[in-house]
Amino acid sequence: MNIQRKHFDLIQALGNSETLVDVAGKLHITPSALSHQLGELEKRIGLAVVNRKIKPLRLTAAGQRLLDSAREIAPRFERLEQDLTRMVNGDGGRLNIAIECHSCYLWLLPTLDQFRRQWPLVELDISGGFSFDGLSGLMDGELDCVITADPEPLNGVSYIPLFQYEAMLIMPQDHPLVAEKTIEPHMLKDQTLIIYPVPQSKLDIFRMFLHPADVEPAHLRNVELTVMMVALVASGRGLCTLPNWAAEEHTRHNYVVARSLGKGVFNTLYAAVREESLNANYMKDFLLLTKDLPFSTLKGIARPAQTSKA
């Protein structure tokens, strides 16, 4: 069975008319063309859709079932046609974003607000959490952009560098390490480290500071929320790391203290995008906003040295 869009239009006209002549007028076709379309539809489904022996025009049970479905499906066709037209014209599309929570996300809110105003016809959605693989979702087409600090080489994916940040060690005000001029890896081997529930390979402090020195902290505690992580640190339950711009919000209120790790642990935040999406005008604009606006809202970030990463 192959029911087409024109058949939904036909059945809706039949359901809202008293004669076949009325139906032909609504569809702007001749009575003979209407008879041909109606016969074709009934042949396709193997059932009559109108009772031709009754006046005014009445649908059969099969016709009524088709009408109910048409009323539900036809608006979806119209929205699809509108969306595709907007995409062809460069005025609309879809932008599903995943933000890896362990690199924080509040910095992106001004960018999203500006983007919504500039591209109101783009369908914008945001995913987050620790229970999914954002880059796999990007490769599968479920996502259109992934904000990550952990780029992986993937065919067909480009990494657009957004800004560079420093990972800072966050401590309580009265912690002994506050007095140290330089934090060395071995100083953390008897500490409790509060971390996001992600693999250690995705955390800057392990990948770029502790593991190269073959050091493991005494205890690990998983926490999903940054604000809870900082609250635990402030109450003396352990230490954590945050990007410098995220730490600033808490250190300026003297809730906690931030210190550099060694000579500084620096990383870059990227926007991962499928290469096929890079030519969309709204994607170009989103990436420009994402690269520029943070420098007016965040403290301590720097322009990345690279221009792109494949």
Side-chain angles (χ1 to χ4, degrees), residues 202-239:
K202 290 185 171 292
L203 295 173
D204 296 338
I205 188 171
F206 285 101
R207 186 177 71 253
M208 305 172 71
F209 187 67
L210 293 177
H211 285 174
D214 197 24
V215 172
E216 292 287 342
H219 305 285
L220 296 175
R221 180 169 181 174
N222 290 335
V223 175
E224 292 192 0
L225 299 177
T226 301
V227 64
M228 180 62 69
M229 185 179 290
V230 175
L232 289 171
V233 171
S235 63
R237 306 307 297 270
L239 312 178

Side-chain angles (χ1 to χ4, degrees), residues 293-305:
L293 280 185
F295 287 90
S296 62
T297 59
L298 303 180
K299 294 183 178 180
I301 62 174
R303 298 284 180 183

Side-chain angles (χ1 to χ4, degrees), residues 84-104:
L84 292 175
T85 299
R86 289 167 182 160
M87 292 178 70
V88 169
N89 295 334
D91 297 327
R94 186 196 76 170
L95 182 55
N96 285 356
I97 306 169
I99 305 169
E100 294 185 345
C101 292
H102 63 277
S103 58
C104 305

Side-chain angles (χ1 to χ4, degrees), residues 146-168:
V146 176
I147 306 299
T148 180
D150 311 298
E152 301 175 13
L154 297 171
N155 290 332
V157 173
S158 289
Y159 293 91
I160 313 303
L162 304 178
F163 57 81
Q164 188 181 70
Y165 64 90
E166 181 181 2
M168 306 294 292

